[in-house]
């Protein structure tokens, strides 16, 4: 292990901190087809996955740079048969490893094997507490029953049960039922995370944004639960940033602590960064150290020299770093602009228009584009 | 404030470890990480689920004979750490 001094590099006069969190997106393959998936639309073009040895090398290099938290995600990480071996290596290296799964492809036996391999934590994502909406949204009938069984198996093997529910217009009115279901399963942590509009979710935005009333009701229900059960499950409620006045401090700053490695080996400062028109370095060609400290894409939005007005002279710029670069690019066409969620942004109207449309449509069905390879192929073909 | 004979233990699924790259102790838990400052790291390192608050304080006083207020600092830290649900008292 190197000392702290050796792990910091001078870039543009400011000290770059080491990556502390590594997100290993093992594959874009997934048995589900969630229309709010944050994976890129061009998944069908990105099928050349890193080998096990590539991943072992990524784990070692990132740990040496300082990463301590590790997430295995995807796609569905359980699709990779070598997951257990990667977990063994991660444990040996001293990572705290988290598996983020839909639960499909998990079996009681696999939970036990992952536990033996040294996995620290499993998070199971649900689309809703109600199996009908759940199946509608995941495009799978059997998925829901399977998830319930796997959530129970996770707990039975001594893991804390962390349930993640992605909220949107079609299930946000069910927060009460979601919490009841979570209690029945004896969950320890429940994340009620509203969709963030990247990747497939942006494509389906009009069908997914909840109305303001829906959002307010869901928050009331969540807070009431917290008050009734001060010692109960820990609830996290993530508001969709469209309804906020300030953007989220995306990734705690670009290239500041988060490092994502995509299934094909692209290194990204954020799992959504593929939305940006940039050439991201690949771990097949460069060391992680060079990627993190030297590469152009990781340095371009570090610090605040890149900012335009109103961020550049804004007293709040250290709080939110101007928000999400991907959202700025996708909605305004320039990644250096303020995140349009910010009410100080001249482009805030784009968000308000989307909200107005969504609030207007809230009671009508809007068709959704399901996340799968066939739809991805079509999107790629149509440019 | 914890009782002097209470025995603190890390909560299940929490792990304390020294991180050379950050030059500090960190507390790791599901999808989270907390950096501990020097004294918090020293106190946490004594938490083994066996020693009582009193024993931990006297161990720290022996190790840092010149540090003032070790008992107060330790009690205060344990109170905060318990509020934050990092540890439990047995
Ligand atoms: S969000 Fe749904 S479709 Fe996307 S990777 Fe997760 S489970 Fe698969
Ligand atoms: S103007 Fe920019 S820096 Fe200021 S609050 Fe808005 S997004 Fe953040």
């Amino acid at each position: 292990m190197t000392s702290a001094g050796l792990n910091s590099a001078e870039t543009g006069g400011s000290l770059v901190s080491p990556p502390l969190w590594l997100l290993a997106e093992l594959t874009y393959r997934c048995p589900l087809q969630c229309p709010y998936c944050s994976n890129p639309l061009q998944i069908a073009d990105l099928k050349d996955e890193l080998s096990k040895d590539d991943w072992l090398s990524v784990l070692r290099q990132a740990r040496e740079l300082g990463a301590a938290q590790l997430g295995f995600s995807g796609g569905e990480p359980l699709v990779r048969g070598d997951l257990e071996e990667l977990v063994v290596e991660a444990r040996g290296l001293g990572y705290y490893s988290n598996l983020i799964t839909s639960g499909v492809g998990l079996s009681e036996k696999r939970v036990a094997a992952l536990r033996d391999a040294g996995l620290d934590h499993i998070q199971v994502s649900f689309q809703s507490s109600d199996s009908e909406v759940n199946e509608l949204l995941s495009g799978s009938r059997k998925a829901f029953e399977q998830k319930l069984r796997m959530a129970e198996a996770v707990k039975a093997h001594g893991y804390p049960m962390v349930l993640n529910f992605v909220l949107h217009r079609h299930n946000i009115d069910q927060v009460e039922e979601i919490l009841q279901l979570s209690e029945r399963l004896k969950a320890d942590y429940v994340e009620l995370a509203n969709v963030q509009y990247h990747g497939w979710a942006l494509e389906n935005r009009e069908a997914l944004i909840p109305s303001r009333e829906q959002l307010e009701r869901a928050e009331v229900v969540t807070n009431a639960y917290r008050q009734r059960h001060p010692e109960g499950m820990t609830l996290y409620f993530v508001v969709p940033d469209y309804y906020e006045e300030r953007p989220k401090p995306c990734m705690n700053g670009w290239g500041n602590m988060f490092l994502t490695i995509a299934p094909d080996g692209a290194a990204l400062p954020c799992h959504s960064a593929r939305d940006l028109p940039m050439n991201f370095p690949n771990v097949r060609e460069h060391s992680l150290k060079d990627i993190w400290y030297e590469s152009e894409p990781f340095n371009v939005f570090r610090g605040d020299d890149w900012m335009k007005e109103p961020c550049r002279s804004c007293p709040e710029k250290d709080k939110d770093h101007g928000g999400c670069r991907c959202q700025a690019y996708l909605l305004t066409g320039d990644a250096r602009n303020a995140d349009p969620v910010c009410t100080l942004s001249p482009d805030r109207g784009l968000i308000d228009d989307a909200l107005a449309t969504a609030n207007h449509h809230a009671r009508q069905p809007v068709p959704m584009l399901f996340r799968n390879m066939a739809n991805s192929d079509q999107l790629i073909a149509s440019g | 404030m914890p009782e002097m004979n209470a025995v603190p233990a890390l909560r299940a699924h929490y792990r304390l470890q020294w991180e050379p790259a950050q030059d500090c102790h960190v507390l790791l838990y599901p999808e989270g990480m907390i950096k501990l400052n020097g004294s918090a790291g020293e106190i946490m390192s004594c938490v083994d689920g066996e020693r009582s608050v009193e024993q931990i304080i006297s161990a720290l006083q022996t190790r840092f004979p010149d540090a003032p207020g070790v008992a107060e600092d330790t009690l205060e830290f344990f109170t905060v750490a318990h509020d934050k649900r990092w540890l439990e008292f047995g």
Side-chain angles (χ1 to χ4, degrees), chain A residues 30 32-34 36-37 39 74-76 102 371:
Chain A
C30 182
L32 299 184
Q33 319 177 32
C34 308
Y36 52 75
C37 184
N39 284 164
E76 174 50 68
S102 68
R371 177 253 196 232

Side-chain angles (χ1 to χ4, degrees), chain A residues 4 7 20-21 63 66 69 91 94-96 98 120-121 123 158 160 234, chain B residues 11 13-15 17 19-23 28-33 35 85:
Chain A
N7 268 337
L20 302 180
W21 294 62
R63 182 74 186 121
Q69 274 286 351
R91 185 70 193 88
Y95 281 105
Y96 194 93
N98 307 272
D120 290 293
H121 163 237
Q123 177 196 292
T234 309
Chain B
R11 262 184 95 194
H13 313 289
Y14 277 60
R15 196 157 89 215
Q17 78 190 26
E19 285 297 308
Q22 301 179 63
D23 199 24
L28 295 160
Y29 56 97
E31 289 172 70
M33 169 159 52
K35 275 184 167 189
R85 301 172 84 173

